[in-house]
Amino acid sequence: MTLLIVGGSGFLGTELVRQAVSAGRPTAATYTTRPGSATGVTWRSLDLRDPGSVEAVVAEVNPRVIVNASSGGADWAVTAEGPVRLAIAAAKAGSRMIQVSTDAVFSGKSPVPYDEQCRPDPITPYGAAKAAAESVLLLHPDAVVARTSLIIGDGQSEHERTVHELATGTREGVLFTDDFRCPVHASDLAAALLELASGDTNGVHHLGGNQALSRHELGVLIARRDGLDASRLPTGLRADSTLPGPLDIRLDSRSTQRKLRTTLRGAHEFLAPGRPHQRPCQAG
């Protein structure tokens, strides 16, 4: 089975590529500015804003499954329109498609937790773009939308870098105590996505960690794991902030978890001091 990982040089994409290659899967991956460093994978340049580029790459690779792990932020042409172009090309080529989405498609104003039946109601430009991208379900009968939460790694994620900068005083800002999410480790998420890629499921799936924490609680765990002084992490309330964003988005991933071999661990487990950072690939 040929797997095409769109955004393979990004944070999540790098872990997807690593696990896919380790499992012996024929894998191609795309990049925007420069290819990743992984070997054993075919790299292709791709501009999601260009329909011709999307069609050419999909036709050349002829993948069995496409996993879109690209990250364009609030750039509508990349984050909202790009997945639509991919879905059209995938349907034409007879490829399945997995669109990685986010809990930011929700406002946080409804009772929590959010399960797969909840309808998106974004309140940020990024959330709106990702919600629009979920229209791939209307364009491709074999598409999967996999919503996830804050993705944590072994020091490489945006959230971990922020904690380090705040704890060492090289960055201004606060960690909100009233903003709750369900962080997930990149290796767990990648393994779960590859499991979905190996199956024949479609529709919406939630892939959040099994524990809800505030951004500050998450920061404390990261600081303790990395030997930083957690007491130096400044706190604040998103409710008092001018930064837009939902307050409480707890993904209910139990339905999807029952279908997976991979355990979507909670942050207290994967950030426990002294635990090995990297877990083995569980998706065969």
Side-chain angles (χ1 to χ4, degrees):
M1 177 188 75
T2 301
L3 176 68
L4 175 60
I5 299 172
V6 177
S9 60
F11 175 50
L12 174 59
T14 296
E15 180 62 15
L16 281 164
V17 168
R18 186 193 71 79
Q19 292 193 22
V21 172
S22 295
R25 300 186 181 198
T27 303
T30 74
Y31 63 93
T32 302
T33 56
R34 61 180 181 274
S37 59
T39 58
V41 57
T42 302
W43 289 99
R44 293 284 184 271
S45 175
L46 175 64
D47 184 352
L48 283 173
R49 299 168 297 182
D50 179 5
S53 177
V54 172
E55 291 179 4
V57 169
V58 172
E60 182 179 0
V61 175
N62 190 28
R64 175 67 184 88
V65 183
I66 300 170
V67 179
N68 181 24
S70 63
S71 177
D75 186 331
W76 191 267
V78 175
T79 302
E81 297 175 359
V84 170
R85 298 185 183 101
L86 269 176
I88 293 172
K92 182 178 179 180
S95 306
R96 292 182 64 236
M97 178 177 172
I98 297 177
Q99 167 66 20
V100 180
S101 191
T102 171
D103 55 8
V105 300
F106 298 119
S107 69
K109 297 178 180 178
S110 299
V112 292
Y114 287 86
D115 64 20
E116 289 86 347
Q117 306 305 314
C118 294
R119 294 185 178 183
D121 60 339
I123 59 174
T124 64
Y126 171 66
K130 294 296 279 189
E134 294 189 0
S135 63
V136 299
L137 294 172
L138 304 175
L139 300 169
H140 194 329
D142 290 329
V144 170
V145 164
R147 298 183 186 131
T148 190
S149 189
L150 304 180
I151 307 174
I152 306 301
D154 301 323
Q156 310 95 334
S157 73
E158 172 190 349
H159 316 292
E160 290 162 286
R161 290 194 299 270
T162 296
V163 169
H164 276 244
E165 292 167 359
L166 288 172
T168 56
T170 59
R171 174 178 181 147
E172 294 184 354
V174 299
L175 294 176
F176 297 128
T177 58
D178 60 345
D179 181 337
F180 290 87
R181 311 288 280 275
C182 292
V184 64
H185 197 279
S187 63
D188 295 349
L189 177 57
L193 289 168
L194 292 176
E195 275 199 62
L196 293 177
S198 296
D200 57 3
T201 187
N202 57 18
V204 178
H205 292 74
H206 282 184
L207 298 176
N210 62 24
Q211 182 182 35
L213 298 93
S214 72
R215 287 183 182 265
H216 178 255
E217 289 172 323
L218 176 63
V220 168
L221 292 178
I222 292 171
R224 289 175 176 169
R225 181 199 66 181
D226 296 343
L228 301 171
D229 184 356
S231 68
R232 297 192 62 187
L233 295 174
T235 63
L237 297 175
R238 183 181 283 278
D240 294 337
S241 169
T242 58
L243 293 174
L247 291 181
D248 196 336
I249 318 178
R250 309 182 195 210
L251 287 185
D252 183 346
S253 303
R254 290 175 296 178
S255 176
T256 298
Q257 178 66 87
R258 286 192 289 269
K259 304 172 186 176
L260 299 173
R261 298 188 306 276
T262 301
T263 299
L264 299 167
R265 297 170 294 168
H268 271 97
E269 182 177 356
F270 64 72
L271 288 174
R275 289 187 63 90
H277 288 340
Q278 192 66 58
R279 67 180 294 163
C281 172
Q282 294 189 28

